[in-house]
Amino acid sequence: MTSRRSFLSKSVLGALAISDSQFIKNAFSGLNRSRSASLPMVIATWDNRKATQAAWDVLHTNGRALDAVEAGARIPEADPNDTSVGYGGFPDRDGHVTLDACIMDEFGMAGSVCFLEHIMHPISVARRVMEKTPHVMLVGEGALQFALEEGFEKTNLLTDTAREAWEKWKVKSEYKPVINIERHDTIGILALDKQNRIAGACTTSGMAFKMRGRVGDSPIIGAGMFADNEVGAAACSGLGEILLRTLGCYQVVEEMRRGAHPQKAAETTIRRIVQKYPEICQKNQVGFVVIDVKGRHGAYAIHPGFNFALYQNEQNLVFESDSHFKK
Ligand code: GLY
């Protein structure tokens, strides 16, 4: 399997290879990004260009941002080689793959599932929760029951690769709830469509070999993702426990509500998180992707190594995020 580090290097080289130098210069020049803003746009954590492509396929035909982010999130959910999301995700320490996801639309409506087992597309179940129930979140057995009632099929989500990794982990069974920048790639995906409708989605299998029942930030509205059609949206990847304590994505959107550019909003929020939890942040990663309703974007992480995919101006590219701590 490709290691996270070589994966990142290849991604950035890929972006450099398929783009002209001026575009790259603009993309890396922080606040100048606003000059290239145009709609539609979609951004995702990590090198999820297949996901941004799927979202773009919806957006460029005048589709709705909500449909775009769902289509995008379903790509890694179905990918057996993505060991942090959906099918193929690493299991908990008892060998069960448990999934978390949330989604928000342009009206501020939200749906979420957590601790969901046996269903390949938790993001689509989250959307059904939003659209077909009076609730926001369903958990565990209840979420599974709802998914089955809605016609989702029961699937074995534990691949041979994930089982082997778990068997290897069990030899020592060291429970170290540490997420580092090499292995965690929850997808958070945000879109703004041609009609200025915003939406966001986030989906994950969570921390590898976590305690049974552990839920991270990804299904929690405001922690793993937040979208507000008046302001913008944020999504993240990284150690869920930090984001649960800080409601990181909500903070980012509120920074924008006070007038901050998406890049500044991400930077301010990361700085606040690092100031509040300096020791935890020394060893753990959090990275945000952010858009505002003007079509501007930002990204920022605690540590180097976080990257993101952006599809805008007809180009689907990967960029390395700046970070609080430098190399
Ligand atoms: N950020 C995903 C998780 O911690 O579960």
Side-chain angles (χ1 to χ4, degrees):
M1 195 185 306
T2 315
S3 76
R4 164 66 57 202
R5 196 172 294 281
S6 67
F7 187 58
L8 293 184
S9 317
K10 280 180 201 156
S11 304
V12 174
L13 288 176
L16 291 171
I18 61 170
S19 58
D20 64 83
S21 58
Q22 190 56 43
F23 185 89
I24 290 291
K25 200 172 156 204
N26 286 343
F28 278 98
S29 62
L31 302 185
N32 286 338
R33 286 173 185 158
S34 57
R35 284 190 205 140
S36 62
S38 77
L39 302 189
M41 70 181 298
V42 54
I43 192 168
T45 54
W46 305 109
D47 183 1
N48 271 303
R49 273 177 290 177
K50 288 182 183 162
T52 48
Q53 179 66 60
W56 185 262
D57 291 345
V58 174
L59 293 169
H60 94 279
T61 51
N62 217 15
R64 185 179 172 198
L66 182 70
D67 295 323
V69 295
E70 182 188 8
R74 287 172 64 95
I75 299 296
E77 282 183 343
D79 181 354
N81 297 315
D82 190 323
T83 57
S84 296
V85 181
Y87 175 57
F90 282 161
D92 65 18
R93 64 186 192 180
D94 297 335
H96 306 280
V97 179
T98 71
L99 306 177
D100 303 330
C102 76
I103 195 161
M104 277 187 95
D105 71 8
E106 70 270 27
F107 304 111
M109 298 303 283
S112 160
V113 288
C114 41
F115 194 47
L116 175 63
E117 296 179 74
H118 313 303
I119 301 292
M120 189 175 292
H121 290 297
I123 199 66
S124 297
V125 184
R127 182 170 176 173
R128 298 280 179 97
V129 172
M130 175 175 80
E131 292 181 336
K132 293 199 160 187
T133 81
H135 308 304
V136 170
M137 179 181 286
L138 290 178
V139 178
E141 278 297 319
L144 177 60
Q145 184 184 328
F146 173 70
L148 296 175
E149 283 166 10
E150 284 295 307
F152 290 86
E153 278 179 20
K154 222 168 169 177
T155 309
N156 174 18
L157 301 175
L158 188 64
T159 59
D160 289 346
T161 304
R163 182 189 297 278
E164 280 161 26
W166 173 58
E167 300 284 355
K168 207 168 151 192
W169 173 83
K170 275 200 300 181
V171 174
K172 285 191 181 170
S173 283
E174 272 183 322
Y175 184 59
K176 285 187 183 171
V178 173
I179 290 172
N180 66 39
I181 59 172
E182 298 294 326
R183 67 192 293 192
H184 204 76
D185 52 358
T186 296
I187 180 172
I189 181 166
L190 310 169
L192 190 59
D193 66 32
K194 286 181 182 173
Q195 296 176 50
N196 282 90
R197 294 172 298 200
I198 208 163
C202 187
T203 180
T204 190
S205 53
M207 183 187 287
F209 320 125
K210 61 198 173 188
M211 285 179 72
R212 181 140 179 84
R214 181 263 187 192
V215 169
D217 59 303
S218 301
I220 307 300
I221 306 299
M225 189 276 298
F226 192 71
D228 183 332
N229 216 65
E230 290 178 12
V231 181
C236 57
S237 180
L239 181 65
E241 279 69 8
I242 299 178
L243 294 152
L244 283 168
R245 291 184 189 111
T246 55
L247 286 186
C249 287
Y250 185 69
Q251 283 201 41
V252 173
V253 172
E254 290 308 295
E255 283 297 320
M256 289 192 287
R257 197 186 307 279
R258 290 190 281 272
H261 184 283
Q263 183 62 31
K264 285 287 173 204
E267 290 175 13
T268 301
T269 304
I270 288 285
R271 194 167 54 246
R272 284 179 66 183
I273 289 172
V274 173
Q275 277 168 0
K276 183 89 179 165
Y277 302 103
E279 282 182 29
I280 298 171
C281 290
Q282 282 296 330
K283 289 190 178 169
N284 290 286
Q285 177 71 309
V286 164
F288 290 109
V289 290
V290 190
I291 61 173
D292 70 7
V293 286
K294 295 178 182 165
R296 303 179 300 181
H297 75 277
Y300 206 62
I302 297 175
H303 295 280
F306 179 58
N307 65 355
F308 62 97
L310 174 69
Y311 206 144
Q312 191 172 26
N313 297 314
E314 307 292 332
Q315 295 187 87
N316 192 14
L317 301 174
V318 173
F319 299 103
E320 196 70 20
S321 167
D322 198 2
S323 56
H324 180 85
F325 295 115
K326 309 299 177 193
K327 277 184 186 151

